[in-house]
């Protein structure tokens, strides 16, 4: 059976522990592309937060972003496939999280937004200390995130909505709640 394409996760897989594409991995991607294999980075990241070193690889034509909600042609910036959350689902999520201490990240048209307090101090909301620089570099701060999600630039356009939770027990509880109460979404996580 001939392999025609490979989809590769980025963080901790294609990128090393420092978040960098090693020379060895870059050469392997070039060899794969030269063998006729379509190399497709697949990431939970929004398009705008993908590393430039990945997007500049001439061997990379397509990327899967925002936890699978979008497929983008890197050379043209065209979305080949795009899914958005329904406004009803977003409203249900916000209502279910109303009394919880969570932070939100909203991905819209390949750009990531997050509430200002979270961008300033991500660890307070449950982010890993190693992610502080990445969050601050890639998130556009929004003062009133819930209002932004409901009525601002996000209404009807959310690629995905991240609910940042502190603590594994709380995360499991909210995960189960979301899966039960909002059936037309899928819940995923990339970190403990």
């Amino acid at each position: 059976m001939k392999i025609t394409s490979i989809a590769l996760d980025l963080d901790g897989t294609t990128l090393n522990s420092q978040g960098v594409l090693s020379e060895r991995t870059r050469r392997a991607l070039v060899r794969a592309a030269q063998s006729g294999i379509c190399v497709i980075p697949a990431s939970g990241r929004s398009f705008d937060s993908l590393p430039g070193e990945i997007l500049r690889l001439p061997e990379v034509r397509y990327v899967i972003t925002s936890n699978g909600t979008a497929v983008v042609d890197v050379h043209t910036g065209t979305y080949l496939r795009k899914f958005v959350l329904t406004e009803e689902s977003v409203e249900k999520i916000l209502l279910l999280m109303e009394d919880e201490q969570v932070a939100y990240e909203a991905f819209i048209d390949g750009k990531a937004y997050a509430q200002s307090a979270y961008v300033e101090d991500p660890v307070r909301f449950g982010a890993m200390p190693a992610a502080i620089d990445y969050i601050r570099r890639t998130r556009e701060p929004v003062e009133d995130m819930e209002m932004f999600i409901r009525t601002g630039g996000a209404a009807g356009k959310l690629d995905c909505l991240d609910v940042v939770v502190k603590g594994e027990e709380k995360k499991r509880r909210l995960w189960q709640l979301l899966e039960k109460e909002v059936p037309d979404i899928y819940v995923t996580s990339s970190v403990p």
Side-chain angles (χ1 to χ4, degrees), residues 31-191:
R31 278 194 313 272
Q34 289 172 342
S35 300
I37 297 171
C38 183
V39 176
I40 307 167
S43 180
R45 295 181 183 213
S46 65
F47 183 76
D48 283 359
S49 63
L50 293 172
E53 62 187 333
I54 295 292
L55 297 176
R56 287 189 297 273
L57 285 170
E59 297 77 21
V60 172
R61 175 73 190 261
Y62 307 105
V63 292
I64 300 169
T65 65
S66 300
N67 286 310
T69 65
V71 179
V72 183
D73 182 326
V74 174
H75 298 172
T76 67
T78 305
Y79 281 80
L80 304 176
R81 187 84 166 168
K82 185 173 181 177
F83 299 94
V84 294
L85 291 164
T86 66
E87 290 184 51
E88 296 80 17
S89 291
V90 172
E91 188 59 35
K92 268 187 176 176
I93 293 167
L94 293 176
L95 288 172
L96 291 168
M97 298 298 116
E98 203 167 51
D99 295 328
E100 304 292 343
Q101 293 230 308
V102 299
Y104 298 106
E105 297 178 325
F107 292 8
I108 305 166
D109 293 329
K111 187 166 178 62
Y113 300 85
Q115 57 204 60
S116 299
Y118 169 69
V119 175
E120 289 168 19
D121 186 5
V123 175
R124 183 177 121 210
F125 293 90
M128 305 297 286
I132 294 171
D133 180 56
Y134 168 74
I135 291 167
R136 290 181 178 161
R137 260 186 307 107
T138 61
R139 292 344 187 220
E140 180 72 30
V142 174
E143 202 55 46
D144 188 342
M145 194 64 178
E146 288 185 43
M147 184 64 73
F148 175 75
I149 291 168
R150 283 189 167 105
T151 62
K157 299 186 331 189
L158 279 170
D159 300 339
C160 70
L161 179 63
D162 293 353
V163 179
V164 182
V165 176
K166 188 170 189 168
E168 284 301 306
E169 184 179 315
K170 182 176 185 177
K171 181 178 179 177
R172 277 190 294 279
R173 179 177 55 80
L174 294 178
W175 185 311
Q176 291 171 347
L177 178 66
L178 288 169
E179 284 185 327
K180 178 182 175 199
E181 299 295 328
V182 194
D184 69 334
I185 65 169
Y186 73 89
V187 182
T188 185
S189 177
S190 61
V191 293

